[in-house]
Each structure stands twice: as C-alpha cells, then as structure tokens.
Amino acid sequence: MPAPRGPPSTSTTGAHEVHGPIRAKWESLGWETGALGYLVRDEYAVTGVRESEFQKGFLTLNTTTNVVSVRTK
C-alpha cells in the first residue's frame, strides 16, 4: 500500500486540502500532472455539493449521490 500523499503545492498556489471522493477522482485524473493541475483553494461547500477548485477546472461531489463530476475552466 502506498504511503499517504500530502497536498502538492507550488509557491503560486500554496497547499490546499482535498478529501474523500474528490481526492480519489483527482488521483484517477493524474494528480497535479493531470488535466486539472494544482489545487488553488481548499475544498468548500456549496448547496448540496462539495467542490474543489484547480488551476484548470473544478471537481464537484454531489453529496446525495456521491458522484464526482469534472468541469474545466
């Protein structure tokens, strides 16, 4: 089993928290070297969803269905 991975950061983006299904989806997309790039803010709540913003898009978790969707900028 691989060691836990801390949040990757740059001097521009800083380090930000990401959890659970959103983190798993980001991993499946290639982490910071994937299509979304680095996190730019901590995971946050919006009515009915949890969301994380990345350099090139967003991952949104529907908290009812537990499905994570990808939206690019």
Side-chain angles (χ1 to χ4, degrees):
M1 181 171 195
R5 179 183 168 96
S9 63
T10 70
S11 60
T12 303
T13 64
H16 300 284
E17 292 187 32
V18 62
H19 306 280
I22 291 177
R23 179 184 169 96
K25 183 69 168 183
W26 187 37
E27 177 183 12
S28 77
L29 295 172
W31 297 110
E32 69 276 7
T33 61
L36 295 176
Y38 285 92
L39 281 157
V40 297
R41 64 183 285 193
D42 289 338
E43 186 176 309
Y44 52 93
V46 182
T47 305
V49 301
R50 303 262 329 147
E51 189 165 76
S52 288
E53 182 178 357
F54 297 83
Q55 290 172 308
K56 300 174 189 171
F58 301 85
L59 290 177
T60 304
L61 170 65
N62 179 312
T63 55
T64 302
T65 64
N66 213 37
V67 172
V68 178
S69 60
V70 180
R71 188 173 81 246
T72 57
K73 292 183 179 178

